[in-house]
Amino acid sequence: MTGDRKMSSVPEVAVQLPEMTKLRPIGGLIEPSDRSLDRLRADLCQLMLRLICVATSVTAMSLMVTAAESSTVSIYGFELPVHSKWSFSDVFEYLVGVSGAVAAYSLLQLLVTTSKLVRKSPVLGSRRQAWLIFAVDLALAYALMSAGSAAAGISNLNRTGIRHTTLPNFCKPLQRFCNHVAISIAFTFFTCCLLTTSAIQYVIWLSKN
């Protein structure tokens, strides 16, 4: 009885355990889920941009390379044979060269991006790498813009002719040639927009890191 009284007289002590706190990343080994999703979306966006860049630049180059046609044109009632080919113009050759460089660069970036995604490593790596890719994207975008603008000027001259001269509209007898050139120029400008979008994405990444 005495022992029971002593035990009952001992006050109960309530112990409150601290609430479990969320683990914070240590050394960059653990990342929040929202940042992981944002990084995955950015990586997939880069993959799609590079894939489309390869397709559009190859299309622009292929259409320009296959632009060739022979026909006849009437000047003062005389039927004269005309033959047009992309290699006759330095501007068109410049467009083919720039489109080929963009296709090779985009294919390289596509392979690198795919390899990093397979290894589950971040595509947008260090700041130095991001700045380098940003600079190359922007330089190629400017080159495409200049090539497309110059080619568009020559194509427009072929389509409208020169006023107050006997130079005719060469696109009437050479319609297939002019159509190839026009579509190639359109794909060139579209590729320029894709590279600019990629450069903007790197600027956003650099501003957040």
Side-chain angles (χ1 to χ4, degrees):
M1 295 295 293
T2 307
D4 294 340
R5 290 179 180 177
K6 289 182 179 181
M7 292 181 62
S8 61
S9 62
V10 177
E12 296 180 357
V13 179
V15 180
Q16 184 177 2
L17 296 176
E19 296 181 358
M20 296 296 293
T21 58
K22 296 181 180 179
L23 293 176
R24 295 183 177 179
I26 301 176
L29 298 178
I30 303 176
E31 295 182 358
S33 58
D34 54 347
R35 291 190 61 185
S36 299
L37 288 176
D38 290 342
R39 189 183 69 182
L40 180 60
R41 289 171 184 169
D43 294 346
L44 291 177
C45 182
Q46 273 293 316
L47 181 66
M48 291 302 300
L49 283 174
R50 299 305 179 186
L51 181 61
I52 300 175
C53 273
V54 172
T56 55
S57 56
V58 169
T59 302
M61 182 174 58
S62 301
L63 286 170
M64 185 61 74
V65 169
T66 57
E69 190 177 3
S70 297
S71 183
T72 58
V73 62
S74 177
I75 300 179
Y76 290 123
F78 295 97
E79 295 293 331
L80 301 177
V82 291
H83 177 68
S84 187
K85 191 177 182 180
W86 68 274
S87 58
F88 294 168
S89 173
D90 295 336
V91 172
F92 293 160
E93 289 182 342
Y94 174 56
L95 187 145
V96 170
V98 173
S99 297
V102 171
Y105 167 75
S106 300
L107 180 60
L108 176 62
Q109 290 296 327
L110 176 64
L111 295 176
V112 172
T113 302
T114 304
S115 175
K116 289 185 177 181
L117 285 175
V118 170
R119 298 197 310 266
K120 296 182 179 180
S121 58
V123 174
L124 303 178
S126 62
R127 292 181 61 87
R128 180 179 299 179
Q129 179 187 4
W131 276 114
L132 177 62
I133 298 177
F134 163 77
V136 176
D137 283 350
L138 207 57
L140 289 176
Y142 281 132
L144 284 174
M145 184 181 297
S146 65
S149 300
I154 297 297
S155 179
N156 185 64
L157 181 63
N158 290 336
R159 191 173 298 276
T160 60
I162 299 178
R163 294 180 179 179
H164 310 298
T165 65
T166 59
L167 186 64
N169 179 1
F170 285 107
C171 283
K172 286 183 178 179
L174 303 173
Q175 187 173 3
R176 184 168 60 87
F177 169 81
C178 290
N179 289 339
H180 274 233
V181 171
I183 300 174
S184 175
I185 294 172
F187 273 100
T188 299
F189 282 121
F190 184 57
T191 308
C192 175
C193 294
L194 293 175
L195 286 176
T196 305
T197 303
S198 175
I200 292 174
Q201 185 179 8
Y202 275 95
V203 169
I204 295 173
W205 184 87
L206 286 168
S207 64
K208 293 181 179 180
N209 292 273

